[in-house]
């Protein structure tokens, strides 16, 4: 075996020809950053991302768009994916990495430690080829002070081309200098709970007893955010024991009572007539309709009233209506509507308030 001398700066190290495996480009794959005893950064390869089975929803379409935008833009591109655990954000991030590797031989560097500063930036810029830099659970790895240290990296002022993907559970823990700054974060996607179309498609492919699909959709609306982990576990348990959703949920760690609940618009039918929202104590109710006893207060005006000049003033007392889980008569999973009727024949309709969606077209 012949000896070779490997020069690094002013240092020569004895090595063998077999130990030298030079690459002009970083091979497509996944890597993490490590630091040696002398403070030098290097890459270590890790296992590739894998996903078996069908991808549901807009996962493939969104991944294709992110990759196409990155390849089309001249500089670096930032993407922020937010949402609670199991919502699908990490799945999309990994799908982007897998498709970029397959389509364009683009490698991925996974950031699992709070690297920052000139040494870190210089190291990334030394990798001149296009690559993906993925910060998984960004707000947990980088605290609020550390996040400021990578803003320059996201600015795209360096010559090399990088796709920065950041996933986080809470978008409000992201540095405010990243929000509404497409120069740093070009795309921002907020993952919420699964909609009924997604649930039906998944159940049609994976649930053995299809007659329970609508019931699963009804259960999903009880949660503020019914995520993919919940759906997958529920279907798996139902198939394993040939159970209905109620039986499977008895032991699963999926409980509506653990959910903080939603915000609902209130509609009350009393003696066959709808109460004006002006006499309701509040036009919104917050909570979990399956967990909480629901109390609705309203103003009950007297019929006679008191003459006050030319005006008759009616005094009022606060009255309270009571509804419990046993009064629940109907759930509409499409609209998030719960209809209760108590023993007095009084009807309460709670309609889930959806997160505001901005009408961009209406602004012009």
């Amino acid at each position: 075996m012949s000896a070779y001398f490997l020069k690094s700066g002013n240092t020569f190290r004895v090595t063998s020809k077999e130990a030298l495996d030079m690459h002009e480009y970083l091979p497509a794959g996944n890597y993490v950053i490590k630091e040696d005893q002398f403070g030098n950064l290097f890459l270590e390869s890790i296992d590739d991302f894998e996903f078996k089975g069908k991808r549901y929803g807009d996962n493939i379409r969104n991944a294709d768009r992110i990759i196409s935008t990155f390849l089309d833009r001249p500089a670096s591109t930032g993407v922020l994916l937010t949402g609670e655990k199991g919502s699908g954000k990490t799945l999309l991030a990994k799908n982007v990495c897998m498709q970029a590797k397959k389509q364009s031989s683009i490698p991925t560097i996974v950031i699992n430690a709070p690297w920052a500063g000139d040494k870190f930036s210089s190291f990334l810029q030394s990798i001149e080829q296009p690559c993906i830099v993925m910060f998984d659970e960004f707000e947990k790895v980088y605290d609020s002070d550390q996040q400021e240290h990578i803003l320059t990296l996201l600015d795209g002022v360096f010559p090399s081309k990088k796709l920065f993907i950041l996933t986080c559970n809470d978008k409000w823990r992201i540095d405010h200098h990243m929000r509404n700054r497409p120069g740093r974060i070009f795309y921002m996607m907020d993952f919420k709970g699964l909609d009924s179309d997604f649930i039906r498609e998944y159940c049609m492919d994976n649930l053995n007893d299809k007659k329970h699909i609508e019931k699963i959709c009804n259960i999903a609306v009880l949660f503020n955010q019914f995520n993919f982990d919940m759906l997958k576990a529920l279907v798996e348990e139902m198939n394993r024991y040939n159970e209905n959703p109620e039986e499977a949920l008895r032991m699963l760690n999926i409980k509506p009572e653990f959910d903080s609940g939603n915000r609902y618009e209130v509609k009350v039918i009393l003696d066959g007539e709808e109460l004006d929202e002006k006499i309701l104590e509040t036009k919104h109710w917050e909570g979990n309709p399956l967990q909480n006893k629901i109390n609705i207060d309203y103003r009950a005006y007297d019929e006679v009233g008191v003459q006050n000049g030319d005006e008759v003033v009616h005094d009022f007392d606060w009255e309270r209506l009571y509804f419990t889980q046993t009064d629940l008569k109907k759930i509409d999973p499409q609209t998030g509507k719960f209809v209760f009727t108590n023993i007095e024949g009084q009807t309460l309709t709670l309609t889930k308030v959806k997160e505001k969606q901005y009408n961009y077209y209406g602004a012009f």
Side-chain angles (χ1 to χ4, degrees), residues 282-350:
T282 179
K283 65 178 182 178
H284 291 106
W285 181 85
E286 295 185 7
N288 189 320
L290 290 191
Q291 176 188 7
N292 306 102
K293 182 178 181 181
I294 303 172
N295 303 324
I296 302 296
D297 296 328
Y298 70 98
R299 294 171 179 170
Y301 288 90
D302 62 36
E303 295 183 1
V304 179
V306 178
Q307 191 72 35
N308 183 12
D310 296 334
E311 183 180 5
V312 177
V313 178
H314 296 271
D315 197 7
F316 68 88
D317 291 319
W318 286 105
E319 298 284 347
R320 172 164 289 184
L321 306 177
Y322 300 93
F323 300 89
T324 66
Q325 295 179 31
T326 58
D327 299 325
L328 181 61
K329 305 303 181 185
K330 180 182 178 182
I331 301 175
D332 185 347
Q334 294 289 345
T335 60
K337 185 178 294 185
F338 295 77
V339 180
F340 298 80
T341 301
N342 60 20
I343 57 175
E344 287 81 15
Q346 301 154 343
T347 299
L348 168 67
T349 301
L350 299 178

Side-chain angles (χ1 to χ4, degrees), residues 10 51 154 157 177 199 218 237 241 249 274:
N10 294 324
F51 182 84
L154 299 173
V157 297
H177 292 105
I199 294 172
N218 290 343
E237 191 75 354
Y241 296 107
L249 287 171
E274 181 180 349

